[in-house]
Amino acid sequence: MDTKKFVQLFGEVLAPDTARVKAATATLKADFYHLPESLTVLLQLLVSDESLSLRQLAATQARSLVPKHWTTLPDGQKPQIRQHILQKTLGEEQQLVRHGAARVITAIAKIDLGDGQWPDLFDTLVQAAGSQTPRHREVGTYILFTTIEALEEDMTAKIPQLLDLFGKTINDPQSAEVKINSMLALSRLAILLDTEEDEASLKTIQDLIPQMVAVLKAAIDAGDEDRTTQCFEVFQTLLGCDSAVLNKHFKDLLQFMTNIAADTETEEDSRTQALSFLMQCVRFRKLKMQGLRVGEQLTLKCLEIVTEIGDADDDDEEVTTARSALALIDVLSENLPPSQVVVPLLQNLGPYVNSPDPDRRKAGMLALGTCVEGAPDFINTQLDEIFRLVLRLFQDPEDKVRRAALDTIMRLAEDLAEPLGKQHEKLIPALVKHLDIAMKQLTGPDDTKNMDTIKACCNAIDALVDGLESDVLEAYLSELVPRMSRLVTHPDFKIKAAAIGALGAIAASAKETFGPYFEQIMDALSAYVQIKDGEDELDLRCSTCDAMGAMALAVGAKPFQQYVRPLMEATEEGLHLDHPKLRETSFLFWGNMAKVYKAEFKPFLEGVVKAIFESLESEESDLDVELGEEAADLVGKEVTIGGRKVKVSAFSDDELAAADEIEDLDGMGDDEDDDSDWADLQAVTAVAQEKEIAVEVVGDIVTHLTRDYVPYIEKTIEIVLPMTEHSYEGVRRGAIATLYRLYAAVWGLQPEEMQKWKPGLPLQQKPTDEVVKLGEVIVTATLAGWGEEEDRGIVTEINRNLAATLKLTGPSLISNPSNLTPLSQTLLLILNKKHTCQLDMGPLDAASSPDDLDPGVIESSEYDWLVIDTALDVVVALSHVLGPTFAEFYKLVEKPILRFASSSESFERSTAVGVLAECVRGMDVSVTPYTAPLFKILMHRLNDEDAEVKSNAVFAIGLLIQKSEDEKEIGRNFNTVLSKLEPLLGEDEARLKDNAAGCVGRMVMSYQDKVPLGAVLPALVSVLPLKEDFEENGAVWGCLVRLYSTGEPTILGLTPKLLPILEQVLGSPEEQLDEETREQVVQLVKFVHSKQAQLVRKYSGLMSVVNG
């Protein structure tokens, strides 16, 4: 090898000329790096007296070449090389070169130690770490850290010795670097530690946590930004270890981090990192956090921190302490129960929203808006009071307070569109007023204040109209559409996009009433779907296509027909404009076209399916990071690598080594380790997000073009099935939903008689072989991931799809006996709050296990409850499809359901009692053995303070009396039930009146002789017709028809009162009566007419029934 030329070219890499750098790099790669001698020369450069830049670059490149060439070097040279590098590194003054050389030593050690060579390295490093010379201690501790990091399991036998060493070095009296290195090493040892098998080492590392905290505090106090960041990274690493490592000091650590975050004298970067740590604690230790009841303290600290937000620009994405505090409130509300976050926030909001300081009023609004997404159900219970507050601050004299209130309105509308929509008479005029003011005051493109207000008003309207019925929204169209239309021509692309998005939402909610505006709006938007370049411009094209898809759904097939082909061509073109969002938009538009045109969409189907399949089968390449001249465009910017923010630096002598320092911070070893490090990141790429949309659109197309889609079904299964194991949860969720939609669609292709399933196993009506095979594939895929899935959103999605599909297609999906056991096991894990997605990364305490957790004392966040709620939907579905055979399954789930029925949370009691009612209905007479315990809980719930719970209990009791054959238990409770029903017939809240009427009907049908009809029937007739729960009409009219058929005198005497009621129930809305009940009522009218024609003739509606 031409050593002189190699060194010359290597030096060229540092030249300030990009062309020279590229040429030198290419030549080195092509002509030299494949030669073993290149490593020898690089190692010589590393220990030479050349410049810092050259030595650091040599270290970086040598590290990558060691795995390729070290074993090929002559064995006789290796001892001298090892010794020379180690000694030179121990004396190296420049930290960056020391760290680079340390990585080279580690790379060599990883090979040599595995081959039984360099046996004295460990002892040499331990000796250096305990040396009297600070520089030697710095190098020794750092190489030990990198060695532990690289060798991992091979170092476990040395853990006790290393813990003893680092327990001393972390208190180094002279060198902060030694302390930091010790922390880094301790974090790697914590990862390797088997906490159950090595309790002594666990105690040692636990006892070192306070000293590690002291190192962090010292770095913060010294204003040492780099070391502070490293310390925070260590604690983030410890958070990912076995929970036993931090449990002993977890509460104190939380308090320490909270104090840092709240201290306004501390550097902002340290405060934001403390808040970031607290966010991770909430995500990965939520049960521990909940048990410590720190949610309230953190929420209120964050509320105070948010007051520092000042006049920050909405579009400014800079990470600040105030924004991080809002992010923590968001995470808290999503992961902890409302009692620990939202309740204390609302209780302490007054001094903020009523403060004379506008920054405090703004903070109150922003904090309130931030917690809506995490606890929408609880916010809904307080919505009237919250709305009055928000509307008041929407009229605040300070613009920044009004903007915060507007932001809160938008967030409320996004999650509570329907209940918030009830305030439309106050809210829409207020939004229009503020929009008009901002449009009038707008001075130009630099007027960010008014531009932000315009965008926010458009976004709020976009979200709000989703909760309005078309007849309500129609009254506002003349106010909203012209304003949005004017903004469509605004020069700012983001304002255009916001207005177009609002128009799409308005159309979607207005439906056919949008018709008069449709063609004008489409013409105004048409130019935007032809845009072909520019990031903001293509984003606008996306918004336009989305809005046009919504308009198609609104106006229907015929009015939209003229636009279909041009837009299909435009969206197909959008796939090739190198804009990921535009590809997603194209897929979504095709899904909307499938919904609108169904079979008429067939001409486009082949091309659409081809494009979607290509997307679903596209490769997702790993992130490729190479810092060199290619990173020139990123110089001075922050990028995120491995979840860490890294500032890319230029290649100056002082800064060249940043590349290796980045690797140090990332905890990445040599190239062979990189794959495993990156594999854990599971980064969400643009391709993965595109696949999420694409697979969901497949579900839309399958549902609406089932027969035409048949040729593609086999290929769809082949592609989509593996996606249930995709690393990105969005893809997994979409794949699961699409597979179930596919099953439902194929089920619907069967002959009609085969779709009429009957409850119970074994099957009484077997579906086609194709359906059976597809069902087995889907259930197998479901059970494979359901029990171990860590993402609660995925578990919720599986629950929803399984429940809905069972209700539609019956028991065939679960007819394989081998599937029932894992299905029931997973449901029990969820109902007992012991499923993987419901637990922390470790147990609550060091000595506990998931089996020790008492689900009765664990409150649920709303997202956590959704997992349980949807699992209960699966239980209900099973009761429907298994029928009387469900009684055996009910034994398994009875205890957790009864526990929820006795919960301190009203929504849990209400849901559980409703589930009990459905289980009774499904089991039919098989419920008899469970009659006594069911009566016990249901009678107790009849006295519940919550009307919804009480209403569900009434419904359940009626079914229990109707289905059970335990006459003794029924007789014991019968009169008590009747006495409790009487006042409920006068209650208008939560369907109580209707459910009480249904219960009376069932009691009369089942035990007529026990009911004092003379008193009960007049009271029953007085509440008719039912207004809320039309399902109960079956029980009520079934009862009355039977009484007429037997000539019961009381009911005959009530005929004049019943005739106008009969006319109403046979009128609109038609959904008052199901087909069977309607036929019974029609026959009743004809019967009464045959006996008392003169009375019936007074009612034209009844006469049309008689004559029909």
Side-chain angles (χ1 to χ4, degrees):
M1 187 182 85
D2 188 340
T3 303
K4 184 176 180 180
K5 183 178 180 182
F6 175 83
V7 173
Q8 180 184 355
L9 283 169
F10 198 71
E12 285 284 292
V13 176
L14 299 175
D17 185 328
T18 302
R20 289 168 61 193
V21 170
K22 285 186 176 182
T25 302
T27 304
L28 287 167
K29 287 181 178 179
D31 298 343
F32 292 98
Y33 284 160
H34 66 283
L35 301 173
E37 293 89 336
S38 65
L39 174 60
T40 304
V41 175
L42 288 172
L43 294 176
Q44 291 170 352
L45 287 173
L46 173 60
V47 298
S48 70
D49 295 325
E50 297 287 346
S51 68
L52 165 66
S53 302
L54 193 67
R55 286 185 290 138
Q56 176 57 20
L57 189 61
T60 302
Q61 195 56 49
R63 176 186 168 196
S64 67
L65 293 181
V66 163
K68 301 173 185 176
H69 298 317
W70 178 254
T71 56
T72 66
L73 297 184
D75 289 340
Q77 293 181 12
K78 290 180 181 178
Q80 182 181 357
I81 293 174
R82 297 185 196 111
Q83 184 67 19
H84 196 183
I85 294 176
L86 185 56
Q87 291 304 317
K88 183 70 175 180
T89 304
L90 286 171
E92 175 61 56
E93 293 293 326
Q94 297 294 332
Q95 184 190 63
L96 295 178
V97 177
R98 287 201 304 273
H99 284 188
R103 295 288 185 180
V104 174
I105 291 169
T106 299
I108 294 171
K110 187 171 184 179
I111 297 171
D112 283 357
L113 294 177
D115 294 338
Q117 300 181 43
W118 211 352
D120 60 341
L121 174 64
F122 182 76
D123 291 339
T124 301
L125 295 175
V126 170
Q127 183 179 355
S131 167
Q132 295 298 312
T133 306
R135 179 73 67 241
H136 290 181
R137 297 198 299 275
E138 291 167 357
V139 174
T141 51
Y142 190 79
I143 299 178
L144 281 171
F145 154 59
T146 58
T147 304
I148 296 167
E149 184 181 48
L151 299 184
E152 297 180 329
E153 299 295 334
D154 293 338
M155 298 294 287
T156 52
K158 301 184 184 298
I159 287 178
Q161 182 182 353
L162 288 167
L163 286 176
D164 181 63
L165 170 67
F166 293 125
K168 298 172 184 173
T169 58
I170 198 169
N171 296 308
D172 193 288
Q174 296 173 289
S175 172
E177 184 179 340
V178 172
K179 296 179 181 180
I180 295 295
N181 294 344
S182 301
M183 282 187 68
L184 291 168
L186 286 168
S187 70
R188 307 310 298 186
L189 292 174
I191 293 173
L192 299 175
L193 184 63
D194 186 332
T195 58
E196 294 182 358
E197 296 295 327
D198 191 352
E199 293 185 6
S201 293
L202 171 62
K203 184 178 185 306
T204 300
I205 205 164
Q206 286 175 332
D207 291 343
L208 288 172
I209 298 297
Q211 296 170 61
M212 298 169 79
V213 171
V215 175
L216 170 58
K217 186 176 186 306
I220 293 173
D221 291 344
D224 190 328
E225 184 178 333
D226 291 339
R227 291 197 171 106
T228 297
T229 298
Q230 287 181 302
C231 289
F232 275 115
E233 288 291 341
V234 165
F235 282 106
Q236 293 276 15
T237 299
L238 293 176
L239 197 58
C241 298
D242 190 301
S243 61
V245 172
L246 286 180
N247 269 350
K248 182 177 179 181
H249 300 286
F250 190 69
K251 186 174 183 179
D252 292 336
L253 186 59
L254 289 176
Q255 188 61 57
F256 173 73
M257 294 292 184
T258 303
N259 292 342
I260 292 174
D263 185 4
T264 56
E265 299 299 317
T266 298
E267 289 290 332
E268 182 163 70
D269 191 55
S270 297
R271 297 175 71 196
T272 58
Q273 290 187 81
L275 288 166
S276 176
F277 177 81
L278 292 169
M279 286 182 224
Q280 296 300 88
C281 288
V282 178
R283 290 190 179 103
F284 298 125
R285 295 284 187 272
K286 65 181 178 184
L287 294 181
K288 183 72 173 178
M289 300 280 284
Q290 191 171 325
L292 293 172
R293 303 196 68 82
V294 295
E296 177 172 350
Q297 179 195 5
L298 289 175
T299 301
L300 299 185
K301 287 287 187 183
C302 286
L303 179 57
E304 184 61 29
I305 293 171
V306 177
T307 62
E308 302 171 33
I309 200 165
D311 299 322
D313 189 338
D314 289 350
D315 290 335
D316 186 356
E317 297 181 358
E318 181 186 358
V319 177
T320 65
T321 308
R323 285 198 175 97
S324 296
L326 285 171
L328 179 53
I329 291 175
D330 183 30
V331 173
L332 286 165
S333 66
E334 182 181 321
N335 288 280
L336 298 185
S339 63
Q340 294 194 23
V341 182
V342 186
V343 171
L345 177 67
L346 292 176
Q347 289 173 342
N348 290 273
L349 207 57
Y352 289 84
V353 296
N354 297 315
S355 170
D357 182 353
D359 285 334
R360 299 186 75 78
R361 299 199 299 277
K362 177 180 179 179
M365 275 293 92
L366 291 176
L368 175 59
T370 299
C371 69
V372 173
E373 184 180 7
D377 291 340
F378 180 81
I379 292 291
N380 190 29
T381 66
Q382 312 296 313
L383 189 57
D384 288 344
E385 184 176 346
I386 288 173
F387 178 73
R388 287 193 293 271
L389 169 63
V390 175
L391 197 62
R392 173 168 67 84
L393 291 184
F394 198 27
Q395 314 299 327
D396 196 275
E398 289 284 341
D399 176 73
K400 58 185 172 184
V401 179
R402 294 196 301 273
R403 279 288 293 111
L406 180 55
D407 180 76
T408 301
I409 289 170
M410 183 175 65
R411 290 172 179 267
L412 287 167
E414 286 173 347
D415 288 284
L416 298 166
E418 189 172 334
L420 189 66
K422 294 175 183 177
Q423 304 288 348
H424 60 86
E425 291 181 348
K426 295 178 181 177
L427 197 47
I428 291 183
L431 288 169
V432 169
K433 174 186 173 184
H434 282 76
L435 177 62
D436 286 346
I437 292 172
M439 291 172 67
K440 184 177 180 180
Q441 293 180 347
L442 186 63
T443 58
D446 296 328
D447 185 358
T448 57
K449 182 182 76 171
N450 283 306
M451 289 178 68
D452 287 343
T453 299
I454 292 170
K455 285 182 288 186
C457 285
C458 291
N459 292 333
I461 290 169
D462 184 335
L464 179 64
V465 296
D466 188 48
L468 300 183
E469 295 295 330
S470 58
D471 57 336
V472 173
L473 182 55
E474 184 178 12
Y476 298 106
L477 292 180
S478 61
E479 294 285 321
L480 297 175
V481 176
R483 287 173 169 81
M484 296 300 114
S485 300
R486 288 200 298 275
L487 290 173
V488 165
T489 61
H490 193 280
D492 183 82
F493 285 108
K494 291 184 178 179
I495 287 181
K496 284 183 202 282
I500 291 171
L503 283 170
I506 290 168
S509 293
K511 298 183 173 64
E512 65 276 0
T513 62
F514 188 75
Y517 304 95
F518 170 62
E519 289 194 14
Q520 174 190 348
I521 297 299
M522 288 294 292
D523 291 343
L525 300 183
S526 59
Y528 299 143
V529 297
Q530 304 302 322
I531 295 172
K532 293 180 174 57
D533 50 37
E535 192 69 23
D536 289 340
E537 290 86 343
L538 289 174
D539 284 344
L540 180 63
R541 177 169 172 163
C542 292
S543 300
T544 304
C545 289
D546 289 341
M548 287 180 167
M551 291 176 195
L553 292 170
V555 301
K558 188 174 180 180
F560 200 80
Q561 185 65 51
Q562 62 178 307
Y563 304 102
V564 175
R565 185 163 293 280
L567 287 174
M568 288 299 296
E569 292 172 356
T571 50
E572 196 280 332
E573 177 191 58
L575 300 179
H576 310 291
L577 294 178
D578 195 25
H579 190 279
K581 178 67 176 172
L582 196 53
R583 293 176 61 83
E584 296 171 19
T585 294
S586 296
F587 297 152
L588 290 170
F589 182 81
W590 297 346
N592 284 333
M593 291 300 98
K595 294 174 188 175
V596 173
Y597 289 97
K598 299 180 173 60
E600 295 178 37
F601 191 63
K602 183 179 178 181
F604 302 101
L605 187 58
E606 182 179 355
V608 164
V609 171
K610 180 176 181 292
I612 292 178
F613 280 2
E614 286 176 357
S615 171
L616 294 178
E617 293 183 299
S618 61
E619 293 293 328
E620 296 174 57
S621 59
D622 294 330
L623 185 60
D624 183 16
V625 177
E626 180 175 351
L627 294 177
E629 73 277 6
E630 293 85 357
D633 292 339
L634 297 176
V635 169
K637 297 181 181 179
E638 284 189 338
V639 297
T640 299
I641 299 178
R644 299 164 174 82
K645 290 193 173 175
V646 177
K647 193 168 185 177
V648 179
S649 302
F651 285 123
S652 68
D653 278 3
D654 293 330
E655 297 173 336
L656 172 71
D660 203 57
E661 198 60 11
I662 288 171
E663 292 169 350
D664 292 348
L665 285 174
D666 278 343
M668 299 173 68
D670 59 38
D671 291 346
E672 293 179 13
D673 292 331
D674 288 355
D675 290 341
S676 61
D677 288 327
W678 285 110
D680 291 336
L681 297 179
Q682 310 247 324
V684 181
T685 65
V687 176
Q689 292 177 319
E690 178 186 312
K691 287 184 178 183
E692 176 186 10
I693 300 299
V695 76
E696 290 173 356
V697 171
V698 169
D700 290 334
I701 296 172
V702 166
T703 298
H704 296 284
L705 286 93
T706 304
R707 290 195 180 278
D708 296 316
Y709 196 83
V710 168
Y712 309 103
I713 286 178
E714 186 174 345
K715 181 68 172 177
T716 300
I717 297 169
E718 178 187 327
I719 294 173
V720 174
L721 196 61
M723 297 176 74
T724 60
E725 299 179 359
H726 196 279
S727 61
Y728 173 41
E729 64 272 11
V731 173
R732 296 202 301 278
R733 185 165 49 244
I736 289 162
T738 292
L739 286 172
Y740 276 96
R741 293 179 76 175
L742 183 62
Y743 180 80
V746 173
W747 172 273
L749 293 177
Q750 298 180 110
E752 189 173 344
E753 63 273 10
M754 298 188 76
Q755 297 183 43
K756 296 178 180 178
W757 58 269
K758 295 180 180 179
L761 290 176
L763 295 177
Q764 299 179 53
Q765 175 68 61
K766 188 177 179 181
T768 64
D769 291 342
E770 292 81 2
V771 171
V772 171
K773 182 179 178 181
L774 178 58
E776 188 63 32
V777 167
I778 291 173
V779 171
T780 300
T782 297
L783 295 176
W786 191 22
E788 299 299 323
E789 176 60 60
E790 295 181 358
D791 186 273
R792 58 189 175 185
I794 304 291
V795 177
T796 299
E797 187 70 23
I798 292 174
N799 295 346
R800 283 176 173 153
N801 281 280
L802 181 57
T805 307
L806 284 171
K807 290 176 183 178
L808 175 66
T809 64
S812 62
L813 196 61
I814 54 168
S815 58
N816 187 335
S818 65
N819 290 334
L820 285 176
T821 298
L823 186 149
S824 61
Q825 289 172 340
T826 300
L827 283 176
L828 279 173
L829 285 173
I830 296 172
L831 297 181
N832 286 314
K833 301 184 181 180
K834 295 179 181 178
H835 189 279
T836 304
C837 76
Q838 296 166 300
L839 297 175
D840 286 348
M841 290 178 65
L844 280 173
D845 298 300
S848 70
S849 71
D851 292 335
D852 299 323
L853 304 180
D854 181 0
V857 300
I858 304 173
E859 286 185 87
S860 300
S861 72
E862 291 191 13
Y863 282 97
D864 287 328
W865 173 250
L866 200 55
V867 177
I868 297 168
D869 191 30
T870 52
L872 290 170
D873 286 341
V874 177
V875 172
V876 169
L878 289 170
S879 73
H880 288 182
V881 303
L882 295 178
T885 58
F886 176 75
E888 288 300 311
F889 190 91
Y890 178 75
K891 287 180 183 178
L892 301 175
V893 297
E894 179 185 27
K895 184 177 178 181
I897 296 176
L898 292 179
R899 185 177 61 245
F900 288 126
S902 300
S903 167
S904 60
E905 297 286 349
S906 60
F907 66 87
E908 294 187 5
R909 297 197 303 274
S910 172
T911 301
V913 172
V915 170
L916 289 173
E918 295 298 335
C919 289
V920 171
R921 178 165 24 200
M923 284 188 281
D924 202 70
V925 296
S926 296
V927 76
T928 301
Y930 306 105
T931 304
L934 284 169
F935 257 123
K936 181 179 179 181
I937 186 66
L938 294 175
M939 294 299 289
H940 188 55
R941 295 279 73 94
L942 268 184
N943 298 314
D944 201 281
E945 61 186 22
D946 184 84
E948 190 73 32
V949 177
K950 200 183 303 183
S951 181
N952 286 348
V954 171
F955 176 57
I957 287 171
L959 286 169
L960 185 59
I961 290 173
Q962 181 184 37
K963 303 293 185 182
S964 175
E965 294 181 343
D966 189 344
E967 296 185 4
K968 182 179 179 181
E969 190 64 32
I970 292 171
R972 184 181 295 123
N973 291 280
F974 199 88
N975 289 334
T976 305
V977 173
L978 265 182
S979 66
K980 290 182 178 291
L981 288 178
E982 183 180 4
L984 298 182
L985 287 170
E987 294 283 345
D988 289 324
E989 191 177 3
R991 310 179 320 284
L992 268 169
K993 182 186 292 184
D994 292 12
N995 281 347
C999 186
V1000 169
R1002 292 184 176 92
M1003 293 176 75
V1004 172
M1005 283 192 288
S1006 303
Y1007 296 94
Q1008 182 176 331
D1009 58 321
K1010 295 180 180 292
V1011 180
L1013 296 177
V1016 170
L1017 290 179
L1020 175 60
V1021 171
S1022 70
V1023 304
L1024 301 179
L1026 303 184
K1027 300 294 186 184
E1028 294 184 278
D1029 195 341
F1030 293 147
E1031 183 183 354
E1032 293 296 68
N1033 273 323
V1036 170
W1037 291 104
C1039 163
L1040 297 181
V1041 168
R1042 178 182 294 186
L1043 292 175
Y1044 266 102
S1045 68
T1046 61
E1048 200 284 321
T1050 305
I1051 198 64
L1052 293 176
L1054 291 168
T1055 298
K1057 292 185 176 181
L1058 275 170
L1059 290 176
I1061 297 170
L1062 283 165
E1063 186 174 45
Q1064 291 181 61
V1065 298
L1066 287 170
S1068 60
E1070 288 191 8
E1071 59 265 24
Q1072 289 181 85
L1073 304 174
D1074 58 36
E1075 289 185 15
E1076 181 181 351
T1077 305
R1078 181 174 292 277
E1079 181 59 30
Q1080 287 182 312
V1081 173
V1082 167
Q1083 294 304 318
L1084 175 59
V1085 170
K1086 292 179 178 179
F1087 172 78
V1088 174
H1089 179 264
S1090 69
K1091 302 295 183 182
Q1092 297 177 283
Q1094 70 282 7
L1095 287 178
V1096 177
R1097 278 197 289 268
K1098 296 178 181 178
Y1099 302 96
S1100 60
L1102 295 182
M1103 287 306 299
S1104 65
V1105 170
V1106 172
N1107 297 325

